[in-house]
Amino acid sequence: MSESLDQICDELDSDQYSFTDADRFERSHDWGTDEEDGVYPDVVIWPESTADVSAVLAAANDAGIPVTPYAAGTSLEGNAVPMHGGISLDLTRMDAVHDIRPDALQIDVGPGIYGDEINAALESHGLLLPSLPSSGKISTIGGMIANDASGMKTVKYGEVADWLLEAEAVLPSGEVITVGSKAAKTSSGYNVLDLLVGSEGTLAVVTRLTLRLTGRPEQIWAGRATFSNLDDAADAVFDAVRSGVDVAKIELIDSLSAEIANARLDTDLPNSPMVFLEFHANQHIEAEVDFCRTVFDAHDIDSFEIAEQDEEMASLWEARRELADAVEPYDPTLSPLTPGDVTVPIDRLPDIVDYIKTLGEKQDIMIPCFGHAGDGNIHYFVMVDPDDPAMVSTGQDVSKQIVARAVEMGGTATGEHGIGIGKREYVPAEHDEALVATMRSIKSTFDPNGILNPGKIFPDESDSQP
């Protein structure tokens, strides 16, 4: 492999590749994997154009060298860990805004641009890519599409991929294809664009994206409601969505998460279950807020606050945005297992929340819950003492039971983090055997030599390893 890697690098500028331990270490893990369990790539390559990507993939394919696309490294399931070494293809230099077409409500960007940078480029046009998750400042648009990411505003605006119109991508052979269309809709042929969404870089490498846009809302109000118990809070979220409240964000936080936020972030949240809200409108936003308050009043609400000023709204949302980072330092003896990310049909939201809390109490395991409740997506951390093997084993079993219960409810093991290496074991339970076989055949068709991101998604590696 070494000689082939040298030949590939010889075709690049000297600053486009690195064999150093520091660069290889950085790409040996992501936010969801332990550094000590990382897998080093043999080389890191920074392509700067579609032509670069094409040349690297063609040469790697001929030599049977694994290639793992990489960007910000903020995935949570080992999605970009190079399980079989080879090339870590870092796309962060392909971060250009290629074109903005305000009249068409479209933007063309490279895969390495951060989500928030897209909206910064659109601000002067009064336009917005509204579906970005709150991690937009640390996550690239290519990574979001690869993992089929979504976030707090999914309840109103859908997933990031719902705003994707067209993509340029490079196949493992080095051939360049364009999938989708800049038209608002197309029924021409197979929908290959959607095949690439959520494929985690196992089918092709996306090098350019066309995204549709919308105007920025004239009115944005934020609010927070507190409840006497978690069941009422979860029921209120379900009732609001069922009743058609036009809300852009509706986030559930349990009392334990509030306590953690107060301890870590120096906030003054009440130690009560809460629902955070944000409303977007161009006019008559007061009526929608009043409607939501009316729905919530039927669920033993304790308080309902609304902020109209930017500073007040930022203060309201600070705790929710920073909550994931606050969990681990809360109790120095405990560490979270892989972040939970199940999603269930919205009518089962109260049931899955109750199941998680009941299971945690039964097993004496701390499980803070919070998440994008408006679309049935719950995040949770199973907290264990890493030096206590029995507790770790119990925590792992609890995690599996939660995922199994979500799937039984008609839900999914992962709402937005992807499969990667962390959730491959759940694929057979969620999808029938024939579908898994079909997915494997799609992988083989796109990537017959198995060089692209091997060892991901499928529950075993036998068909993916080069």
Side-chain angles (χ1 to χ4, degrees):
M1 182 188 294
S2 178
E3 183 177 348
S4 297
L5 288 174
D6 289 340
Q7 292 174 350
I8 292 171
C9 292
D10 285 344
E11 300 300 317
L12 302 166
D13 292 338
S14 59
D15 68 341
Q16 286 188 268
Y17 61 88
S18 173
F19 291 94
T20 67
D21 288 345
D23 287 327
R24 292 165 54 231
F25 168 75
E26 183 178 344
R27 290 152 188 85
S28 68
H29 58 279
D30 64 13
W31 280 21
T33 54
D34 293 330
E35 293 180 359
E36 56 267 29
D37 296 329
V39 180
Y40 280 60
D42 294 286
V43 64
V44 179
I45 291 179
W46 289 269
E48 297 177 358
S49 66
T50 300
D52 285 347
V53 174
S54 176
V56 170
L57 287 184
N61 193 50
D62 288 343
I65 298 172
V67 179
T68 302
Y70 182 94
T74 50
S75 296
L76 293 171
E77 296 292 350
N79 314 71
V81 175
M83 295 300 293
H84 298 286
I87 297 169
S88 178
L89 194 69
D90 189 321
L91 298 161
T92 51
R93 294 186 187 177
M94 299 181 65
D95 60 351
V97 174
H98 295 294
D99 191 22
I100 300 175
R101 297 180 294 282
D103 291 343
L105 299 176
Q106 293 178 5
I107 186 172
D108 297 341
V109 296
I113 190 170
Y114 287 93
D116 284 6
E117 292 176 350
I118 296 175
N119 277 337
L122 294 169
E123 187 170 4
S124 62
H125 299 280
L127 297 174
L128 180 72
L129 177 60
S131 57
L132 292 174
S134 57
S135 61
K137 63 183 178 181
I138 57 171
S139 302
T140 64
I141 190 66
M144 294 180 201
I145 295 301
N147 290 343
D148 199 7
S150 55
M152 293 186 187
K153 291 179 283 188
T154 301
V155 65
K156 181 177 179 70
Y157 297 109
E159 300 178 338
V160 176
D162 292 329
W163 295 75
L164 178 64
L165 290 170
E166 184 180 82
E168 175 187 80
V170 183
L171 299 173
S173 63
E175 296 171 282
V176 180
I177 60 173
T178 299
V179 294
S181 171
K182 289 184 174 67
K185 60 182 181 179
T186 174
S187 57
S188 177
Y190 295 156
N191 190 349
V192 179
L193 180 67
D194 278 359
L195 270 182
L196 298 186
V197 173
S199 64
E200 303 184 24
T202 62
L203 302 181
V205 178
V206 173
T207 54
R208 184 175 176 130
L209 305 99
T210 297
L211 301 151
R212 65 184 180 92
L213 311 168
T214 190
R216 293 175 180 257
E218 296 290 331
Q219 299 173 305
I220 300 178
W221 288 12
R224 185 176 68 205
T226 61
F227 296 81
S228 59
N229 62 72
L230 189 59
D231 288 341
D232 284 327
D235 286 340
V237 171
F238 164 57
D239 202 3
V241 174
R242 177 182 59 179
S243 300
V245 176
D246 187 7
V247 62
K249 300 179 183 177
I250 184 165
E251 298 281 308
L252 179 67
I253 296 180
D254 69 3
S255 56
L256 175 58
S257 299
E259 183 180 329
I260 289 172
N262 288 335
R264 172 64 178 169
L265 304 173
D266 196 29
T267 53
D268 58 353
L269 298 174
N271 289 335
S272 303
M274 280 171 285
V275 175
F276 283 75
L277 301 144
E278 190 168 284
F279 301 88
H280 294 182
N282 291 322
Q283 57 184 341
H284 307 310
I285 197 169
E286 302 93 335
E288 207 61 45
V289 172
D290 289 343
F291 179 28
C292 184
R293 173 61 191 262
T294 299
V295 173
F296 277 20
D297 277 341
H299 298 281
D300 199 17
I301 189 172
D302 288 338
S303 68
F304 190 91
E305 308 169 67
I306 290 293
E308 304 173 32
Q309 303 301 319
D310 289 344
E311 296 80 7
E312 292 178 273
M313 287 192 291
S315 177
L316 277 171
W317 280 104
E318 178 188 9
R320 173 60 188 95
R321 286 196 306 270
E322 304 297 330
L323 189 52
D325 292 334
V327 170
E328 184 155 10
Y330 173 68
D331 185 333
T333 67
L334 301 178
S335 294
L337 296 175
T338 301
D341 171 38
V342 298
T343 303
V344 297
I346 188 62
D347 64 324
R348 303 306 302 272
L349 174 69
D351 298 331
I352 192 64
V353 170
D354 179 69
Y355 180 82
I356 293 172
K357 303 309 288 189
T358 300
L359 186 59
E361 291 170 2
K362 179 180 178 181
Q363 298 295 338
D364 196 24
I365 294 281
M366 184 186 297
I367 312 178
C369 292
F370 52 93
H372 317 317
D375 53 42
N377 186 193
I378 291 295
H379 297 306
Y380 55 90
F381 289 97
V382 177
M383 307 294 292
V384 300
D385 181 350
D387 297 323
D388 183 342
M391 190 177 189
V392 170
S393 178
T394 298
Q396 292 171 339
D397 187 55
V398 165
S399 295
K400 291 178 180 179
Q401 289 182 63
I402 293 172
V403 173
R405 185 65 179 137
V407 172
E408 288 173 6
M409 291 179 176
T412 177
T414 173
E416 56 190 32
H417 297 165
I419 295 295
I421 56 177
K423 289 190 171 174
R424 292 182 304 163
E425 65 181 293
Y426 302 120
V427 169
E430 185 171 340
H431 305 292
D432 57 55
E433 185 176 346
L435 178 55
V436 175
T438 300
M439 289 192 286
R440 291 180 188 274
S441 68
I442 291 170
K443 165 68 172 173
S444 296
T445 298
F446 272 80
D447 185 19
N449 294 327
I451 68 158
L452 270 183
N453 207 4
K456 308 297 168 57
I457 299 180
F458 300 109
D460 64 76
E461 303 173 5
S462 60
D463 66 330
S464 304
Q465 185 171 351

